[in-house]
Amino acid sequence: MSLAFHINGVSLGHGDETVVRDLDLDIRPGEVLVVVGASGCGKSTLLRSLAGLLPVRGGALLADGAPITGPSPDRALVFQDDALLPWRSARRNVELPLAIRRVPRGERRRLADHWLAQVGLADHGDRRPGKLSGGMRQRVQLARTLAGEPKAILMDEPFGALDAQTRAAMQRLLVDVLRTTPATVVFITHDVDEALYLGDRVAVLGPEGVRTLIDVPEPRDPATRGTPVVRAAREEILRSLT
Ligand SMILES: Nc1ncnc2c1ncn2[C@@H]1O[C@H](COP(=O)(O)OP(=O)(O)OP(=O)(O)O)[C@@H](O)[C@H]1O
Ligand SMILES: [Mg+2]
């Protein structure tokens, strides 16, 4: 199952500062919507409000037609910093959302191992986060998120701290798991190529709202990288970023 988000005339801010004004955007169920935009334009602010962590100051922010009033396990947030519990093994970290849903212990373990295998960490379940590389920790975080079977995954520059090679591997892994995951994904990045690889659509956000909304030609197909249509989309994103 996947969530539809409806953002209509939304204003957001912190303290005296209004960051997002009168924003309109519809996010379709099951799509990967990538959001790009200059630093400070309000991408993380928007994501936090979709997660229910920041109330709107005006307008309507709806998930499947209902106003978002607080956090929900249906809407999982994934950050650049992995936020794993350092004293729990990888497996016990992945079990967390299952424990919250009161899944019985044996089943919890079985599901956690399933999701760890999905992210290529079948043999690392017993390790604590401190004994894993940054890329591995991100994979544990992804497994934990998927184990909660959220209807939406909200990702804030999740691969921003990884080296180029690990990052490319994580992008392929995400594409792989999304094939069998129905969740709607909202993904923030500064990397236009990452946006064009992962997204069904790319929204360029500015302080005045959504500047451009681009349908990605052949999403998640590395073979189309560098083709004229993708190059044109890339140019358009770069133009509206400046
Ligand atoms: N917790 C907070 N308290 C006060 N101001 C904040 C807070 N979080 C963000 N801001 C301010 O809101 C504005 C938008 O910040 P936000 O983090 O949403 O930008 P961003 O688009 O995610 O930027 P970046 O690309 O650098 O991550 C900035 O001016 C920032 O200083
Ligand atoms: Mg941010």
Side-chain angles (χ1 to χ4, degrees):
M1 281 195 293
S2 43
L3 278 183
F5 290 104
H6 182 68
I7 303 166
N8 188 221
V10 160
S11 299
L12 300 168
H14 310 274
D16 293 338
E17 188 189 10
T18 300
V19 178
V20 172
R21 273 186 193 80
D22 200 22
L23 180 72
D24 293 316
L25 178 63
D26 280 328
I27 304 175
R28 302 166 183 159
E31 79 168 324
V32 179
L33 178 83
V34 179
V35 180
V36 299
S39 186
C41 76
K43 302 180 296 298
S44 299
T45 300
L46 173 64
L47 210 69
R48 284 172 57 80
S49 69
L50 291 174
L53 298 173
L54 185 77
V56 297
R57 294 185 161 181
L61 185 64
L62 310 178
D64 276 354
I68 296 172
T69 55
S72 155
D74 283 347
R75 289 173 269 116
L77 198 51
V78 177
F79 303 98
Q80 182 171 312
D81 307 317
D82 59 56
L84 297 173
L85 301 180
W87 61 88
R88 291 177 79 128
S89 67
R91 179 185 300 106
R92 302 257 296 136
N93 267 283
V94 178
E95 282 183 16
L96 278 171
L98 301 163
I100 289 167
R101 285 195 354 237
R102 300 182 185 283
V103 174
R105 186 177 288 266
E107 178 69 359
R108 222 149 70 193
R109 189 183 165 110
R110 193 190 65 76
L111 283 169
D113 282 341
H114 162 77
W115 288 112
L116 280 169
Q118 289 287 301
V119 300
L121 292 177
D123 298 331
H124 296 79
D126 293 326
R127 288 213 205 170
R128 287 188 186 183
K131 301 275 185 208
L132 298 169
S133 71
M136 285 170 160
R137 284 199 299 275
Q138 269 303 2
R139 284 193 270 164
V140 176
Q141 185 179 209
L142 185 58
R144 184 176 67 182
T145 302
L146 294 167
E149 295 184 40
K151 295 180 186 169
I153 307 177
L154 309 170
M155 309 183 85
D156 196 349
E157 303 189 45
F159 310 147
L162 303 174
D163 64 88
Q165 215 176 342
T166 310
R167 183 174 192 150
M170 284 302 297
Q171 291 167 358
R172 288 194 297 272
L173 176 69
L174 183 63
V175 166
D176 240 22
V177 296
L178 289 182
R179 263 196 271 278
T180 53
T181 306
T184 306
V185 176
V186 184
F187 189 105
I188 294 176
T189 183
H190 279 282
D191 182 331
V192 175
D193 293 309
E194 181 169 80
L196 282 167
Y197 177 45
L198 296 177
D200 292 295
R201 295 191 298 162
V202 178
V204 181
L205 198 68
E208 74 283 19
V210 175
R211 283 187 182 164
T212 327
L213 200 52
I214 288 167
D215 283 304
V216 176
E218 304 296 334
R220 295 178 289 285
D221 180 359
T224 64
R225 271 188 187 167
T227 58
V229 274
V230 173
R231 273 217 305 275
R234 192 174 191 281
E235 288 305 313
E236 195 179 346
I237 293 168
L238 289 173
R239 251 200 317 277
S240 52
L241 273 171
T242 50

